[in-house]
Amino acid sequence: MAPMGIRLSPLGMAVFCLLGLGVLYHLYSGFLAGRFAFFMLSEPAAGGPEAPRSSAPAGAVDLRELLAVSVLAAVRGGEEVKRVREGNVLNEKAKGKTREGAEEKLTSGDLLSNRKMFYLLKGAFPGVQINSEEHVDAADQETVSWDRSIPEDIKKKIQPKEVPAESVTVWIDPLDATQEYTEDLRQYVTTMVCVAVNGKPVIGVIHKPFSAYTVWAMVDGGSNVKARSSYNEKTPRIIVSRSHAGKVEQVARQTFGNKTVIIPAGGAGYKVLALLDVAEKNQEEADVYIHVTYIKKWDICAGNAVLRALGGHMTTLAGEEISYTGSDGNEGGLIASINMNHKALIEKLPNLEKTSRK
């Protein structure tokens, strides 16, 4: 008797194949999903929980976010400055001399403020160049995180604006007016952050640690401060460095008359605030800010940005714009004003530019 043959119908073959494909699908999809989940969960393990990311695409920086963290950095640095001064643990020492031969001082307030400000900004925007007055010691690194929250006053006035990260330079002054700080002249002391895009100052933050007063502004954006409305261009009140008052006074009074008021003060940040309408009882008022010698860019960048945002000007004594790229120094002195004829001021004070070169 011949063996019986087994015949499978085409329908049966189709069902068998579909069942096989279904089994393979579930096996491999589960495996791939598991590998993907493992990859995503294990990625941030080297640096701990991953912080919220910027809304800007890779390689770009949102200036509104950078303004928000700059304000926070100035405040956090100011807390260190205040704590050191009130604890009277300045650990004051000399770090060198100015070109005029004056001793430059360094305190714990400078260093601790610098560390806090630098690492907060660097952690939030690692791809941005940061220039600071004080040396950053890699061995003394501090983790300072930012939750990327934006204050309501900034949200209301400033719209997001993205720029290439490589076009941005941040300038930090962790303690402006260190000389006055050591003398306990607290009203002159500020912490400052400036953001320059392609060398032009566009964000400025000036914070007064001992009164918790902060000014911020963004060019073509907005600010939390206004310019003063009353000025006297014929006999202006001119604010200058305490050590330069004599140099400026003679030339200014020859130009504007004996009624011209010269205001000696400490700190570039304080002098810029003198041109603005600020709610500070210890803040003097001036019409023009003049500096007749070499000055570092981290001293003046924030003030320059604030003035630009409000329609003011800060230039060299020869009327040239100051670029915030390259070297950290400005050779040509400066003159700053707001709601005044800046060009006319420069033309009236030609001898000051010559004085700055001496």
Side-chain angles (χ1 to χ4, degrees):
M1 192 173 185
M4 296 180 60
I6 299 175
R7 298 182 61 189
L8 293 177
S9 70
L11 179 59
M13 289 290 291
V15 171
F16 180 81
C17 290
L18 287 173
L19 287 172
L21 289 173
V23 171
L24 290 173
Y25 172 81
H26 284 289
L27 285 173
Y28 281 95
S29 63
F31 172 79
L32 292 173
R35 294 300 296 170
F36 180 75
F38 174 79
F39 174 78
M40 293 300 291
L41 288 171
S42 62
E43 186 182 17
E50 188 175 9
R53 298 190 178 187
S54 169
S55 59
V61 172
D62 182 354
L63 291 181
R64 184 172 73 166
E65 291 183 348
L66 192 45
L67 168 59
V69 75
S70 295
V71 170
L72 182 60
V75 171
R76 291 277 182 87
E79 291 169 354
E80 296 296 304
V81 168
K82 183 180 179 182
R83 181 176 62 81
V84 169
R85 179 65 267 184
E86 291 183 343
N88 200 28
V89 286
L90 274 63
N91 296 320
E92 176 187 335
K93 62 181 180 180
K95 68 175 182 179
K97 291 185 179 294
T98 67
R99 290 188 179 184
E100 299 166 290
E103 191 177 76
E104 283 192 287
K105 294 185 177 181
L106 179 68
T107 70
S108 295
D110 295 87
L111 296 175
L112 293 173
S113 173
N114 183 70
R115 185 175 70 180
K116 189 76 69 174
M117 294 173 72
F118 178 86
Y119 284 115
L120 176 56
L121 286 158
K122 196 66 177 175
F125 294 95
V128 165
Q129 179 181 338
I130 301 176
N131 296 339
S132 179
E133 179 173 8
E134 306 304 338
H135 174 70
V136 179
D137 189 349
D140 199 27
Q141 185 170 346
E142 179 175 355
T143 301
V144 189
S145 60
W146 175 47
D147 63 4
R148 297 203 176 272
S149 62
I150 299 175
E152 287 301 317
D153 59 339
I154 293 178
K155 276 186 179 179
K156 289 178 181 177
K157 295 182 178 181
I158 307 295
Q159 296 299 314
K161 183 177 181 180
E162 294 171 4
V163 297
E166 64 269 18
S167 69
V168 175
T169 305
V170 177
W171 296 84
I172 300 175
D173 193 341
L175 200 170
D176 189 41
T178 300
Q179 176 65 44
E180 287 73 20
Y181 182 65
T182 63
E183 298 172 20
D184 210 14
L185 299 173
R186 304 182 182 196
Q187 71 272 24
Y188 296 128
V189 175
T190 62
T191 57
M192 297 188 285
V193 181
C194 176
V195 176
V197 177
N198 295 320
K200 295 182 178 180
V202 298
I203 289 174
V205 179
I206 304 174
H207 174 69
K208 299 185 79 171
F210 297 102
S211 60
Y213 180 75
T214 307
V215 161
W216 59 260
M218 178 172 158
V219 176
D220 297 328
S223 70
N224 68 343
V225 68
K226 295 180 180 179
R228 289 190 302 106
S229 56
S230 59
Y231 295 88
N232 189 335
E233 198 162 340
K234 293 183 179 179
T235 56
R237 290 166 292 179
I238 300 176
I239 194 164
V240 300
S241 294
R242 295 161 70 204
S243 58
H244 301 160
K247 286 184 178 181
V248 177
E249 183 173 6
Q250 183 178 2
V251 175
R253 289 189 171 164
Q254 286 174 352
T255 304
F256 297 108
N258 290 329
K259 292 183 179 181
T260 301
V261 177
I262 303 297
I263 305 171
Y270 178 89
K271 297 183 188 84
V272 169
L273 292 179
L275 306 182
L276 309 177
D277 183 11
V278 299
E280 280 282 282
K281 62 181 180 180
N282 291 327
Q283 178 66 58
E284 295 167 284
E285 295 183 350
D287 303 312
V288 182
Y289 165 28
I290 292 176
H291 188 86
V292 295
T293 60
Y294 174 88
I295 191 168
K296 294 295 182 69
K297 291 178 181 178
W298 41 66
D299 290 318
I300 59 176
C301 186
N304 198 341
V306 171
L307 290 174
R308 286 187 70 224
L310 297 175
H313 302 275
M314 179 185 287
T315 65
T316 66
L317 293 171
E320 300 162 344
E321 295 294 331
I322 302 167
S323 174
Y324 294 91
T325 57
S327 68
D328 59 16
N330 172 52
E331 296 280 354
L334 70 85
I335 181 167
S337 68
I338 190 167
N339 287 345
M340 298 184 74
N341 188 332
H342 191 78
K343 185 177 179 181
L345 283 172
I346 294 167
E347 291 172 350
K348 285 181 180 179
L349 296 167
N351 293 329
L352 278 177
E353 199 275 332
K354 296 176 183 178
T355 302
S356 72
R357 304 290 179 178
K358 294 180 180 179

